[in-house]
Amino acid sequence: MSALVKRVKGVSKSKGDILKPRKPSGGKAVSTAIARRGMKEKKEEMDIQLPTRPDVTSETPSEASGFKVLVTGFDPKSKSVISFLQSKCPGKIKMSKVQFLPKRLTFLVSTRSEAEALRKLSGVKVDKHKITVRYTLQNGPTDTAAAAVEEDAIVKAENDADILSFTDEQVSLLRQFLAIQYRPDLRVLDLSNLANMEVFKAAGFNLDLNQAKLLKILMRLISVRCKDVTSINFSNNNLKTLSGFDAIGNLLPDVINLSFDSNQIDRLETLIELKSVKGLRELVLTNNSISVNNTDEYRRMVVQMFPSLSVLDSVAIPRLAPPFDASQFLHQFITSFDQNRAALALAYHEHASLTVVVQCHHPGKWLDSQALLLDPVQAVPLVFKGPESIHQILLSLPPSMHLAAPPMHVDTVCSTPESVTLKITGYLLEESGLRRGFVRSLTLTPVSAVPSRPWTALICMDELLVSDVPQQFS
């Protein structure tokens, strides 16, 4: 049991990982991956008030420490921002604790009237760049608001048109929502079923994660407010594509668990967006078109895309068994190919494929075998599928011996928890004494050897290229 699962033990009734889906009383499968203990109570307490602009009134004792002003959106290379602000405000404004930070400027002013005068400059262009000006009390009970203003500045610092299209009220609403949905003690964030959240409906805010603009600002806010998150639940969001989700890996480096249960994802290519999540350990794709049948092929392809995965659709991915030894398997395979090809019938997976390409011009039996290996109409290499068909082709190939000198080269091209792909290069010797070069790619999946199948692995894919120009392959 992983450390993360141990931390959430007791939150979910399931003994599986935290992203394991369950079926509610209605019968529809939904993901309850992100631990929800206390979520309901917190949602009932949620009373979001859209922010309003402060009235310009005389200063109170709590305002004696001054006001913090944030300016964003200007050209980082510009040196005229401060002089511009002072020239546009009535009277002389005294600024203190001025700080030029990456893409934002902060300073203090003494009175609310000065801060309000500066705020009214928000939207004005400085050197062709539209600036945004906000302010809050420097100290006192509104320090949380100050943090929120600074967060907004970070989110909008890139001066991205898509992000700047959201109003301050919408950003505030998202920020407060994330504060409720995020469990910092478990480092989990529940973003499931966003379109049906009443608080957003009431505000006329459509949270459709298929919208690139919304996803962009949401990811920025998460990177500020939930930067330590490790698990995110995106279930029940009608997602058709994962375009833009590469931001997870770029902005949230600690994320290892993701749930996309009960969406509308129908193409495996869509998952490429998640390859930026380098340490992905658990992925839930249940109740999507791509995982309806949950075939071995589907699991194999997903695992190949994400070598770090430990759990897929709440099912643990078997690791390569320690006894599995590729060199032992290869010795057995090569010996059988050279001396007893009938023994290879049990070395292939039931869904295995074999392709043999012969690029020979010198007379010999390998040249003669080309006719058996090509499509007679399209003249392209045939793909033989299944152990029986592969066995017949192997028996029909010319008798050949693998040469021990010069030695063969074996490279591991790809290694995942469920398979290993090896590239073997070397030489074959025909009965006539003619030497051929070869390159062979074998994709293996480990199995337990038993008397009826004396192999430590099964071949899922076999691609053999034979050439009549011997050469040393790298």
Side-chain angles (χ1 to χ4, degrees):
M1 183 179 293
S2 66
L4 179 60
V5 175
K6 289 180 181 178
R7 290 206 304 273
V8 298
K9 187 176 181 182
V11 174
S12 171
K13 294 181 180 179
S14 170
K15 294 182 179 179
D17 291 82
I18 64 170
L19 297 179
K20 187 172 183 178
R22 64 173 174 81
K23 287 193 176 182
S25 57
K28 183 180 178 181
V30 297
S31 175
T32 56
I34 310 303
R36 294 188 176 182
R37 184 177 62 185
M39 284 291 183
K40 182 176 181 182
E41 291 78 1
K42 292 184 73 177
K43 288 180 180 178
E44 291 174 352
E45 295 171 4
M46 184 178 182
D47 183 18
I48 294 179
Q49 299 293 328
L50 295 181
T52 57
R53 295 294 185 193
D55 295 328
V56 179
T57 61
S58 60
E59 283 70 51
T60 65
S62 64
E63 299 171 353
S65 60
F67 294 81
K68 183 176 184 178
V69 179
L70 262 83
V71 183
T72 61
F74 58 89
D75 184 351
K77 299 179 181 178
S78 175
K79 301 297 182 181
S80 60
V81 181
I82 292 179
S83 59
F84 174 86
L85 294 173
Q86 290 178 327
S87 67
K88 293 296 181 180
C89 290
K92 187 175 181 179
I93 293 180
K94 184 178 180 181
M95 303 176 183
S96 62
K97 296 186 179 180
V98 178
Q99 282 188 305
F100 270 100
L101 303 171
K103 300 185 181 180
R104 64 188 192 274
L105 166 68
T106 66
F107 55 86
L108 299 182
V109 295
S110 301
T111 66
R112 182 185 291 276
S113 59
E114 290 176 329
E116 186 64 19
L118 289 164
R119 186 194 63 77
K120 290 179 180 178
L121 295 176
S122 191
V124 174
K125 289 186 177 180
V126 180
D127 297 331
K128 299 182 180 181
H129 291 265
K130 188 181 292 185
I131 64 171
T132 300
V133 184
R134 296 184 178 88
Y135 74 88
T136 187
L137 281 173
Q138 165 63 7
N139 295 311
T142 56
D143 273 351
T144 301
V149 170
E150 184 134 13
E151 287 170 5
D152 285 355
I154 295 172
V155 168
K156 296 193 174 186
E158 297 295 328
N159 203 24
D160 189 298
D162 288 343
I163 290 179
L164 292 176
S165 67
F166 286 87
T167 66
D168 289 349
E169 288 78 10
Q170 289 174 326
V171 174
S172 178
L173 193 60
L174 285 172
R175 187 174 59 242
Q176 295 178 59
F177 176 72
L178 289 175
I180 290 173
Q181 297 299 95
Y182 183 48
R183 291 287 302 273
D185 54 332
L186 302 177
R187 300 173 70 184
V188 295
L189 177 61
D190 185 4
L191 296 179
S192 61
N193 204 23
L194 294 182
N196 293 321
M197 289 290 178
E198 291 299 327
V199 64
F200 296 112
K201 285 184 176 180
F205 194 2
N206 179 24
L207 258 69
D208 181 2
L209 293 186
N210 289 297
Q211 297 180 18
K213 291 183 180 180
L214 173 63
L215 186 60
K216 187 180 293 186
I217 193 168
L218 186 61
M219 288 299 174
R220 291 275 183 83
L221 283 168
I222 293 172
S223 71
V224 175
R225 296 197 64 89
C226 319
K227 59 184 178 181
D228 296 328
V229 64
T230 59
S231 305
I232 308 179
N233 181 9
F234 291 105
S235 64
N236 288 282
N237 278 304
N238 298 314
L239 286 167
K240 301 177 180 65
T241 175
L242 296 181
S243 178
F245 278 83
D246 58 335
I248 295 177
N250 299 329
L251 298 176
L252 303 168
D254 292 341
V255 168
I256 57 174
N257 303 316
L258 291 171
S259 173
F260 293 94
D261 173 61
S262 299
N263 282 288
Q264 299 179 33
I265 302 170
D266 58 4
R267 293 184 301 114
L268 282 169
E269 308 89 84
T270 300
L271 303 181
I272 292 175
E273 295 286 336
L274 301 179
K275 289 183 73 66
S276 64
V277 187
K278 300 300 183 184
L280 189 61
R281 299 290 180 83
E282 182 174 3
L283 181 62
V284 175
L285 298 168
T286 48
N287 302 305
N288 284 275
S289 298
I290 58 172
S291 62
V292 169
N293 296 323
N294 201 357
T295 62
D296 291 341
E297 180 69 7
Y298 152 76
R299 292 185 64 83
R300 184 183 67 81
M301 293 184 69
V302 173
V303 169
Q304 282 187 345
M305 291 177 71
F306 305 101
S308 61
L309 270 187
S310 298
V311 180
L312 175 60
D313 296 341
S314 303
V315 178
I317 297 169
R319 297 286 177 178
L320 289 177
F324 178 71
D325 186 346
S327 61
Q328 176 185 342
F329 172 87
L330 282 178
H331 176 76
Q332 184 180 1
F333 177 82
I334 290 170
T335 301
S336 298
F337 185 90
D338 291 349
Q339 301 175 11
N340 180 21
R341 290 187 192 171
L344 296 176
L346 299 176
Y348 286 82
H349 190 276
E350 60 179 336
H351 299 300
S353 64
L354 167 67
T355 304
V356 182
V357 177
V358 178
Q359 295 180 345
C360 295
H361 302 286
H362 296 305
K365 291 188 176 180
W366 276 102
L367 179 62
D368 297 339
S369 69
Q370 280 183 316
L372 297 173
L373 305 171
L374 293 176
D375 184 304
V377 177
Q378 300 181 1
V380 295
L382 292 169
V383 178
F384 304 95
K385 296 183 178 181
E388 185 175 344
S389 176
I390 292 173
H391 182 225
Q392 294 301 318
I393 289 298
L394 289 175
L395 292 177
S396 68
L397 294 178
S400 304
M401 298 287 291
H402 289 79
L403 291 177
M408 289 182 293
H409 288 266
V410 180
D411 297 309
T412 301
V413 178
C414 177
S415 178
T416 74
E418 289 190 338
S419 65
V420 173
T421 299
L422 304 174
K423 178 183 177 183
I424 312 155
T425 59
Y427 297 99
L428 293 172
L429 186 67
E430 286 189 19
E431 287 182 325
S432 63
L434 182 63
R435 190 170 64 167
R436 309 281 190 180
F438 80 91
V439 179
R440 193 164 206 152
S441 176
L442 293 174
T443 298
L444 314 174
T445 184
V447 294
S448 297
V450 295
S452 60
R453 190 193 295 270
W455 297 89
T456 56
L458 292 180
I459 301 171
C460 298
M461 184 180 297
D462 184 356
E463 297 176 341
L464 174 61
L465 168 65
V466 178
S467 167
D468 68 353
V469 181
Q471 58 182 327
Q472 185 71 29
F473 292 89
S474 60

